[in-house]
Amino acid sequence: MPTRKEPKASKFHPGSMLPMNQLSEKRQQIIRPVLENPREFVLLNVRDMASRLAIAPATVVRIVQGLGFESYKSFRHYLHDLSVTSSTILDSMQAGGNTPQTPKFLKGSRKQIQENLEYVVDHVDLHQILNVAIRIHEAKRILLLGGDMASALIEYMEYHLTIAGLPVMAAVNPGRATHLVRSIGEDDVVIGISFRRGLRMTIEGIQKARENGAYCIGVTDSVLSPLARFSNELVIVPINSFSFAASYVAPIALIELITAAVGNLRRKQVVDRLKEADHEQKHGYRWYQAES
């Protein structure tokens, strides 16, 4: 059995920015529009931001350092993550530009899908995935939390873990989440999936589960997600899209990796269960049979 490795710390931790009260009242007023509207400032270099704020570039640097950032570059990374968590579906669609030609729009959309998948290939840590799979394999119970659009991801993951014979439960509405989290304890694993600002049901569920001693894993699109505050470890995947809905190709790919790792850890149990299901899959009443 592979041993668990402690998850690596995120490069940009949500606690990297110091409280605003570390700054003078005047400097708080200067930087507040940037933090409240990060999308308007995230692409600006230090001189352009200084011009927008009507202050000297050196003052911008001093304010950024006063907030706890090593450099302006680090602050821009923070603004990028902040703009991701605060964006809406409308923001995502407008980011695709105003392209009336459908073929051109579809090419851009296909390119975005490709970039989301490439992120999984290039940036998702396979050691972390293995650690998550071992946690799932060893857990007394597994609780999956996620609502709204993420409910599709929860049901997809639950189905796969059920095939593997694991004691998995899923909650995609607030009432069920509240009742299930109450019984979660130290031997259990809770996986919460929520993106952007975070769904209240999922965030509060993870928070309560962590208080109860469960090992909590957050799946989201930014280290600034509120999931980061209550999860033992965080897995980041993008959901960028030009459409009116978030793209879940990367989260689906992540779930595929996790369930593949779980299946390999439980190979004997999974094979035994599939042998039992084999006859039903070939001859069961659920499947269409041609009259030949």
Side-chain angles (χ1 to χ4, degrees), residues 40-164:
E40 297 181 15
F41 295 89
V42 67
L43 298 179
L44 301 181
N45 59 39
V46 65
R47 291 184 179 278
D48 290 339
M49 181 175 288
S51 178
R52 284 280 297 273
L53 298 176
I55 58 175
T59 304
V60 173
V61 173
R62 283 193 289 270
I63 292 175
V64 165
Q65 291 175 340
L67 288 172
F69 297 96
E70 294 181 358
S71 64
Y72 183 74
K73 182 179 180 181
S74 298
F75 181 63
R76 282 185 62 181
H77 280 297
Y78 176 84
L79 286 184
H80 174 267
D81 287 331
L82 190 61
S83 66
V84 168
T85 59
S86 62
S87 65
T88 64
I89 293 174
L90 178 61
D91 292 329
S92 298
M93 192 165 186
Q94 288 177 334
N98 187 16
T99 307
Q101 300 92 350
T102 299
K104 185 176 181 180
F105 175 82
L106 288 177
K107 286 181 181 179
S109 184
R110 182 174 62 185
K111 178 66 174 176
Q112 182 62 73
I113 290 170
Q114 179 182 349
E115 290 176 359
N116 289 351
L117 288 173
E118 286 176 350
Y119 182 95
V120 176
V121 173
D122 296 335
H123 297 287
V124 169
D125 184 351
L126 295 183
H127 291 294
Q128 184 184 29
I129 298 302
L130 179 57
N131 182 67
V132 169
I134 295 171
R135 292 277 183 181
I136 291 171
H137 175 60
E138 295 178 347
K140 181 179 178 181
R141 290 175 299 176
I142 305 117
L143 174 59
L144 308 179
L145 294 174
D148 200 34
M149 266 187 65
S151 61
L153 298 174
I154 295 297
E155 292 170 355
Y156 183 76
M157 191 171 191
E158 180 195 26
Y159 190 90
H160 283 74
L161 296 182
T162 300
I163 292 175

Side-chain angles (χ1 to χ4, degrees), residues 274-284 287:
L274 292 181
K275 285 179 179 178
E276 294 177 10
D278 185 65
H279 180 79
E280 191 277 333
Q281 289 183 347
K282 291 178 177 177
H283 308 289
W287 308 98

